[in-house]
Each structure stands twice: as structure tokens, then as C-alpha cells.
């Protein structure tokens, strides 16, 4: 398995003063050392220019190409690729154990797993396995929380949100709404049979039907421009350029073996893992929430269709955990940063859900200000109680009143 560790460039005496983020990308099969690194949060862009808002300025970041067969994580025969999500987690656990043996100085640094889409699903499952190993005597006890960004936790809830979301935003009419809703209801009914292959096939069929009623739409950001005839996923547009960069300058700079090949293709990975990709894993999130002092932060872009915030809110509010009643009763508050509303947050205890304004699936790319603040709250132990800063609200209201007077 291939990983890429960045030490923080923050102005600190030692990099160990800053938390470690373990970053997992979606797909399954999108390499975080390539896509997330160069397209989203790393210190350099795909054109190798400096990224001013890189998260490396705030954190140590460990990118992992997972599952094996993704990016530079390779196998010598195809039959060694993971066939189950548990195999994916087992591989990650082994990697993490080896990583902290090699970088023992980081073993006491507060660590958080952040995952997007399928990576969010993996993040929750990995944290579940990690904590269970701690209970059995594992000495790697530095895991403090997870950040689940547009996470594929309860796929049926996301799917059932497609038709209402498209309808509410004027992208489909009554006919389109009914057609898509009927298809997603079939997914819901099929899930009861636990025939996960058929569920996945229905999911793909529904995705393919949506363009018939809308012409074309970016599933990852409904308000972005798309070609009338072609749609490329947000991570696929620069696949060729990324592969060339990774197999030339990156391979040379990192002294990788000459026979190293960077694999950005999702097809092989998807085919092997698709059987259970539609199975909900909400029970694992409930387990995490019932751990003392373990943070679970869920955040969604408001423009994301594929993992829409309505579907995410549905599975979150249906979670059964120690403080579920108090969380449901909590007020939903605006997320105010520098006098601007960047989203909304509902929080109680160790669970927070954020709705991120002006953002699609790739939340940090679309609204880095909001996501930086969310991650700050996730990783800041001194920030446990300021779920909503009323001083910010008062200043915001005063600013509006001042503008009205002027």
C-alpha cells in the first residue's frame, strides 16, 4: 500500500504540536495521493503551483491510496484485490500499525480520519475497527474523531433524496420527479431482500435514467456548468494529466521503483466491491457516537445531488445513540465566519452535522473557508463547548443593522 505523509508547515516549534489527519478519498478507487493531494488540499496544484489555502498549513496529513489497486497501491495479481469492505479495512489497519511503528513520534499526536463519499464510509468503518482493537489491547490510542464529508453511509437515504432535491431546485418537472422517485423506491424495496448486487444494479440504472429528464446535470454540484452531451465526474476531468504527473515527476521526486504505475481507473475496484456498496453502515456510526470523547462530524455541500444533505440528515436523525434525543432537540444554527453565513450546524454532545453553503460534493474545493472552520472545530480540544458562538451572531446582527442605517 502506498501513502504520502506531509509534515505541517504551520509556524510551530515541532510538527507534533499539530494534529494528524488521515485522508481517504471516495470512489471506491480514487487515489488520495493524486486527486485529493493535487486537486484539493495539498501544498501544490496539478500544475505544480503553490496552493495558498492548503490544509498542510494547519495539519500533518497522511494520504493513503485505498483500496489496493488504487493509485500507487498495487498487487502482483488481480485476485489479490479486495473483494469485501472488511478486506479494505484490514489492509488499512495493517498499514496504520506499520506506519506508527515507523513514525513512532506521531503515535501520541491526536489523530482524526477524514473521508469523502466512499472514503467517508471507509473512515467510519476504519474508526469502528480501530476502537475495537483498542478495547482488545491495541496500543495505538491516539484516534480522537472522524470527519465524514458527503459520506456514503446510508445509500438508500441518499437515493430517496434525488427526486425531491431535483424537483425542489427546478431541474425536473412532475414527470421526471415521479419517474426517478419510482426507481429509487425500487432500491428501497430491494434492500429489504439484501440482494446487494441487484440493489447496486438498480442504483446504476437510476443514475443513468436521470439525464433523460434533465438533459444533463453534474451529480456532484447541480449548479456547475456541464456539456450538453458529456458529463465527466469532478475527479475524472484531469485523469490523464494526473497519471502523467504521478508517473513522471512524482515518481522521480519520490524515488519510486521504475515499475511503479499510478492507477486512477475505478472500474476494476468498483466491480469487486459493488456487491456491498449499497449496504448501510449506520450501526457503526452509532457505535462511534457511544464512545466517550470521540467526535463524529458530518458535513455536506448544499449543491451535492449524489450524497444530498436531505438524505444525510435523514440517516443522521435516525441514529440511535446515548444523546440522540438531545441532538434532535438541539437548535440548528448558522455557521458564521467573518460575518458571513457559510452554512448551518446542528450539534449536541460529540455529534455535529454541518450544511455547507455554496458547495457540492467536493466541499473543500467549493467552500474552503467553511471546511477549514469545521476541521478546526473537529481537531480543537478547547473548542468542545462553542458549538455556536453567540458573540458572532450578535456581531453579525449588528453588522446588518449598521448596513441598513447606512
Amino acid at each position: 500500500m502506498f501513502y504520502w505523509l506531509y509534515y505541517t508547515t504551520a509556524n510551530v516549534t515541532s510538527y507534533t504540536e499539530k494534529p494528524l489527519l488521515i485522508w481517504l478519498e471516495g470512489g471506491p478507487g480514487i487515489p488520495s495521493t493524486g486527486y485529493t493531494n493535487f486537486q484539493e488540499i495539498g501544498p501544490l496544484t496539478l500544475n505544480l503551483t503553490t496552493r495558498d489555502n492548503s490544509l498542510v498549513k494547519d495539519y500533518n496529513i497522511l494520504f493513503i491510496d485505498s483500496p489496493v489497486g488504487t493509485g500507487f497501491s498495487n498487487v502482483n495479481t488481480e485476485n489479490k484485490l479486495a473483494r469485501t469492505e472488511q478486506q479494505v479495512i484490514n489492509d488499512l489497519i495493517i498499514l496504520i500499525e506499520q506506519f506508527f511503528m515507523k513514525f513512532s513520534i506521531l503515535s501520541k499526536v491526536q489523530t482524526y480520519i477524514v473521508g469523502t463519499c466512499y472514503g467517508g464510509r471507509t473512515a467510519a468503518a476504519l474508526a469502528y475497527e480501530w476502537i475495537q482493537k483498542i478495547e482488545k489491547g491495541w496500543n495505538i490510542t491516539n484516534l480522537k474523531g472522524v470527519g465524514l464529508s458527503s459520506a456514503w453511509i446510508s445509500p438508500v437515504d441518499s437515493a430517496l433524496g434525488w427526486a425531491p432535491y431535483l424537483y425542489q431546485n427546478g431541474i425536473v418537472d412532475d414527470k421526471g420527479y415521479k419517474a426517478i422517485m419510482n426507481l429509487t423506491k425500487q432500491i428501497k424495496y430491494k434492500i429489504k431482500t439484501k440482494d446487494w448486487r441487484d440493489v447496486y444494479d438498480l442504483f446504476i440504472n437510476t443514475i443513468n435514467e436521470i439525464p433523460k429528464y434533465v438533459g444533463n446535470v453534474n451529480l456532484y454540484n447541480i449548479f456547475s456548468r456541464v456539456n450538453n452531451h458529456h458529463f465527466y465526474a469532478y475527479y475524472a476531468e484531469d485523469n490523464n494529466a494526473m497519471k502523467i504527473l504521478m508517473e513522471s515527476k512524482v515518481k522521480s521526486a519520490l524515488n519510486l521503483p521504475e515499475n511503479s504505475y499510478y492507477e486512477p481507473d475505478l472500474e476494476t475496484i468498483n466491480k469487486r466491491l459493488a456487491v456491498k456498496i449499497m449496504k448501510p453502515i449506520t450501526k457503526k456510526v452509532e457505535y462511534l457516537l457511544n464512545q466517550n470523547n470521540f467526535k463524529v462530524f458530518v458535513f455536506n455541500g448544499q449543491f451535492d445531488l449524489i450524497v444530498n444533505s436531505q438524505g444525510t440528515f435523514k440517516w443522521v436523525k435516525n441514529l440511535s445513540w446515548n444523546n440522540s434525543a438531545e441532538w434532535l432537540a438541539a437548535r440548528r444554527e448558522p455557521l458564521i465566519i467573518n460575518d458571513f453565513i457559510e452554512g448551518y450546524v446542528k450539534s449536541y454532545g460529540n455529534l455535529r452535522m454541518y450544511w455547507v453553503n455554496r458547495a457540492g460534493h467536493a466541499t473543500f474545493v467549493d467552500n474552503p473557508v467553511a471546511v477549514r472552520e469545521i476541521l478546526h472545530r473537529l481537531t480543537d480540544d478547547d473548542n468542545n463547548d462553542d458549538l455556536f458562538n453567540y458573540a458572532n451572531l450578535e456581531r453579525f446582527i449588528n453588522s446588518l443593522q449598521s448596513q441598513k442605517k447606512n
Side-chain angles (χ1 to χ4, degrees):
M1 294 191 75
F2 183 77
Y3 64 85
W4 187 325
L5 171 67
Y6 281 111
Y7 295 111
T8 184
T9 58
N11 184 21
V12 289
T13 304
S14 170
Y15 58 85
T16 57
E17 296 176 35
K18 289 292 185 178
L20 171 67
L21 301 184
I22 298 175
W23 207 286
L24 302 171
E25 196 47 71
I30 304 172
S32 68
T33 66
Y35 173 76
T36 322
N37 183 5
F38 288 101
Q39 295 284 67
E40 290 194 331
I41 66 173
L44 297 175
T45 68
L46 184 59
N47 297 322
L48 301 184
T49 57
T50 301
R51 177 175 284 110
D52 292 334
N53 63 354
S54 170
L55 285 178
V56 176
K57 293 184 177 182
D58 301 315
Y59 306 101
N60 302 291
I61 298 182
L62 176 64
F63 294 116
I64 302 175
D65 287 347
S66 173
V68 291
T70 299
F72 281 124
S73 291
N74 62 82
V75 292
N76 52 18
T77 60
E78 189 172 303
N79 63 8
K80 292 183 180 179
L81 293 172
R83 286 190 176 275
T84 68
E85 292 183 333
Q86 187 59 51
Q87 288 177 326
V88 174
I89 301 305
N90 292 345
D91 289 341
L92 284 167
I93 286 289
I94 292 170
L95 170 67
I96 287 166
E97 188 168 40
Q98 294 295 316
F99 174 83
F100 283 115
M101 287 176 61
K102 184 171 184 178
F103 299 92
S104 58
I105 194 172
L106 288 171
S107 62
K108 301 302 179 184
V109 170
Q110 292 191 359
T111 299
Y112 301 83
I113 309 170
V114 181
T116 298
C117 198
Y118 183 84
R121 181 184 181 88
T122 307
L126 175 59
Y128 173 87
E129 190 76 22
W130 191 324
I131 292 174
Q132 291 220 315
K133 285 183 69 66
I134 291 174
E135 291 177 348
K136 296 173 182 177
W138 213 32
N139 62 354
I140 305 174
T141 59
N142 53 349
L143 183 64
K144 302 301 179 183
V146 290
L148 309 179
S149 175
S150 302
W152 197 241
I153 301 294
S154 182
V156 65
D157 288 319
S158 294
L160 288 171
W162 293 341
Y165 185 68
L166 290 168
Y167 187 76
Q168 290 160 10
N169 285 282
I171 299 175
V172 297
D173 59 10
D174 289 343
K175 181 180 179 181
Y177 170 85
K178 290 177 182 177
I180 296 169
M181 199 70 215
N182 285 337
L183 288 168
T184 55
K185 283 181 179 178
Q186 290 180 38
I187 296 175
K188 180 181 179 180
Y189 298 143
K190 182 59 70 172
I191 280 180
K192 294 178 181 179
T193 70
K194 297 186 178 181
D195 187 338
W196 300 112
R197 171 60 68 180
D198 279 359
V199 173
Y200 179 76
D201 290 342
L202 280 171
F203 160 71
I204 294 298
N205 181 54
T206 307
I207 290 292
N208 291 334
E209 286 290 312
I210 289 176
K212 294 180 180 180
Y213 300 97
V214 303
N216 209 346
V217 65
N218 186 332
L219 305 177
Y220 302 98
N221 188 322
I222 62 168
F223 293 119
S224 64
R225 296 181 68 187
V226 291
N227 186 282
N228 186 44
H229 303 291
H230 303 286
F231 164 63
Y232 296 99
Y234 69 103
Y235 54 80
E237 293 179 358
D238 298 309
N239 259 358
N240 289 336
M242 182 70 72
K243 185 174 177 64
I244 291 171
L245 172 65
M246 299 299 283
E247 291 187 349
S248 57
K249 293 181 179 179
V250 168
K251 186 160 74 171
S252 174
L254 300 183
N255 295 316
L256 299 182
E258 190 59 35
N259 62 348
S260 298
Y261 296 100
Y262 174 85
E263 183 53 72
D265 183 18
L266 309 182
E267 186 174 355
T268 304
I269 303 295
N270 263 305
K271 283 181 178 178
R272 298 176 76 89
L273 294 173
V275 174
K276 294 291 181 67
I277 199 174
M278 298 298 291
K279 185 177 180 180
I281 61 164
T282 48
K283 293 297 181 184
K284 292 185 177 181
V285 179
E286 291 173 350
Y287 173 85
L288 297 178
L289 286 169
N290 283 325
Q291 306 305 308
N292 291 329
N293 301 316
F294 189 85
K295 295 182 181 179
V296 177
F297 278 33
V298 179
F299 48 104
N300 259 84
Q302 298 273 44
F303 298 162
D304 185 6
L305 172 65
I306 194 75
V307 187
N308 50 84
S309 55
Q310 294 95 319
T312 296
F313 181 56
K314 186 175 180 180
W315 68 256
V316 170
K317 72 179 182 180
N318 287 331
L319 293 172
S320 177
W321 55 292
N322 294 338
N323 294 318
S324 53
E326 292 84 354
W327 188 87
L328 285 170
R331 290 175 57 186
R332 182 175 181 263
E333 307 286 2
L335 175 65
I336 299 174
I337 306 171
N338 298 325
D339 289 340
F340 287 95
I341 297 178
E342 299 292 351
Y344 300 89
V345 57
K346 186 177 178 67
S347 50
Y348 187 89
N350 52 338
L351 172 63
R352 299 189 194 181
M353 178 176 173
Y354 291 88
W355 291 256
V356 182
N357 286 351
R358 299 178 300 282
H361 199 68
T363 50
F364 185 80
V365 172
D366 295 334
N367 193 336
V369 172
V371 176
R372 188 179 295 275
E373 176 63 19
I374 292 168
L375 292 176
H376 169 69
R377 295 184 181 192
L378 173 66
T379 59
D380 186 0
D381 266 358
D382 296 328
N383 201 28
N384 288 330
D385 295 324
D386 73 336
L387 304 182
F388 181 71
N389 190 328
Y390 286 91
N392 283 345
L393 176 60
E394 184 177 359
R395 187 170 66 250
F396 179 70
I397 293 173
N398 291 339
S399 175
L400 289 179
Q401 292 173 337
S402 176
Q403 291 178 33
K404 184 176 180 180
K405 291 177 182 179
N406 293 335

